[in-house]
Amino acid sequence: MATGLTSSGPVRLIGFGEVLTRLATQGRVQLPQAQSLDVHIGGAEANVAAALAALGHRTAMVSALPRGGLGDGAWRALAAAGVDLTRSFRAPGRQGLYFLSPGGSLRASEILYDRAGSAFASQDWSAFDWSAAFEGAEWLHVSGITPALGPDLAAATGAAMTAARAAGLRVSFDGNYRANLWASWDSDPRTILTGLVRQADLFFANHRDMALLLDHPFSGDGEARRREAALAGFTAFPNLKWIASTARHVETSDCHRLAARIDTPEAGFQTAEVAMPGIIDRIGGGDAFAAGVLHGLVEGASIPRAAELGLALACLKHSVPGDMALFSRADVEGFSGEGADVKR
């Protein structure tokens, strides 16, 4: 698979998280009726690293994958996408899975996780050399999915963020709240996530994430209400420099409208909505948005332009199956939000 990966320059971003194999039903049937499954590779942090690699940035992953068929397939897929795996390793355990039943009409998509005992979740990260892993890098990207896997991984996420800050990296954190994962153990998500967000420079979060963390309701109706939630976040987490989010209006499972927003302590910018009829696959859309925003920020783009790039990559992701948004700079930077004729 061709990518825009450059062979020199700094490592723009390192992701820490589990690489997953996705098994999706075909023809939009529900899982109990499935006779066959499509296989794709994903994972929140891996999706961001792969998308940025396709845009020409050097990226890497810190992860653990098992040896054998599924682990080998995941390893090859990330390497083919241009992600550096020299900081990742093979370990005992199984491959983390999730099953997807794509929605249709007014029926929502449904995800079933099968991750217990995976090589990543079972790994002892307490002795991992984060300083060595972060040498020469600029950003660390993590999400709320990893700490939701258990107390050891919550501690590992915090250790990674602390080490990244000590090494001079910027840290991006995607809230990615997954209630089913947190409910699988005796967790305290508000306390854990609050401690992690305190170490972030960039927080991918909407008004619902802020409501969870601050135990205060925020309405998502209108730009002024979203600005209110962002300002509350900056007050609670003074290390934050940016808060990025999307506003999605769902008409049916395959017809959405999407806008993007970035707030700073001084101001906020929200794009116009883009209509997305005929959606192929929305899974990974948030990771594509994160990659587009990071692409803009590391390139020195203005806040409005970074929001537009995030929206562009998120919209493009909805047009392809699978978790990863492997689009070129020309695709993303030339995105207009309107239907296009065949490229010849």
Side-chain angles (χ1 to χ4, degrees):
M1 180 183 299
T3 73
L5 181 66
T6 54
S7 58
S8 61
V11 176
R12 291 292 196 186
L13 176 138
I14 294 176
F16 170 56
E18 184 165 24
V19 183
L20 296 170
T21 297
R22 168 177 129 178
L23 302 170
T25 65
Q26 298 178 343
R28 299 195 178 190
V29 303
Q30 298 183 77
L31 193 59
Q33 287 77 48
Q35 299 296 311
S36 58
L37 298 168
D38 286 328
V39 180
H40 294 280
I41 303 304
E45 301 81 6
N47 293 339
V48 172
L52 283 170
L55 293 171
H57 301 286
R58 291 188 65 205
T59 65
M61 277 294 295
V62 173
S63 195
L65 289 90
R67 296 191 181 277
L70 290 176
D72 291 347
W75 189 279
R76 285 195 297 266
L78 269 189
V83 179
D84 179 357
L85 296 175
T86 58
R87 296 163 177 82
S88 295
F89 53 91
R90 315 309 288 271
R94 56 183 291 265
Q95 176 69 7
L97 308 175
Y98 79 91
F99 295 85
L100 171 67
S101 298
S105 185
L106 300 180
R107 176 175 59 84
S109 298
E110 185 175 358
I111 285 176
L112 174 66
Y113 289 111
D114 181 16
R115 306 172 66 157
S118 70
F120 178 83
S122 302
Q123 178 65 28
D124 180 5
W125 293 96
S126 62
F128 188 79
D129 190 346
W130 295 107
S131 296
F134 293 149
E135 186 173 353
E138 296 182 353
W139 283 80
L140 168 68
H141 181 70
V142 291
S143 83
I145 295 178
T146 301
L149 296 176
D152 292 343
L153 281 164
T157 305
M161 296 173 79
T162 299
R165 295 192 61 79
L169 279 69
R170 292 195 183 278
V171 177
S172 58
F173 186 84
D174 193 333
N176 271 339
Y177 183 72
R178 301 291 186 265
N180 288 341
L181 293 177
W182 287 106
S184 67
W185 58 288
D186 185 19
S187 63
D188 182 358
R190 177 177 291 122
T191 298
I192 292 171
L193 291 172
T194 296
L196 297 174
V197 175
R198 287 197 179 105
Q199 300 196 72
D201 298 281
L202 167 60
F203 187 24
F204 292 98
N206 58 25
H207 61 287
R208 288 182 292 272
D209 296 302
M210 289 302 178
L212 169 69
L213 294 179
L214 304 181
D215 196 20
H216 176 81
F218 295 101
S219 170
D221 296 330
E223 293 186 36
R225 298 293 180 87
R226 287 182 173 264
R227 179 63 180 166
E228 177 189 1
L231 287 174
F234 288 121
T235 298
F237 307 107
N239 190 63
L240 287 177
K241 299 173 180 62
W242 308 276
I243 297 174
S245 63
T246 57
R248 181 186 297 269
H249 291 94
V250 178
E251 297 178 4
T252 65
S253 65
D254 58 0
C255 185
H256 301 179
R257 290 176 285 121
L258 194 68
R261 181 179 183 88
I262 298 179
D263 285 276
T264 69
E266 295 76 28
F269 172 81
Q270 184 161 320
T271 70
E273 278 191 335
V274 171
M276 299 185 296
I279 290 171
I280 303 299
D281 190 340
R282 70 167 286 183
I283 304 300
D287 303 325
F289 170 67
V293 169
L294 283 161
H295 170 60
L297 293 179
V298 301
E299 293 280 295
S302 67
I303 294 302
R305 184 56 177 158
E308 290 167 354
L309 291 168
L311 178 64
L313 192 51
C315 289
L316 288 169
K317 167 61 201 71
H318 287 68
S319 72
V320 294
D323 291 43
M324 296 180 182
L326 304 182
F327 292 91
S328 70
R329 286 187 181 223
D331 292 328
V332 175
E333 294 175 359
F335 179 79
S336 68
E338 299 177 355
D341 200 356
V342 177
K343 294 180 180 179
R344 301 182 189 275

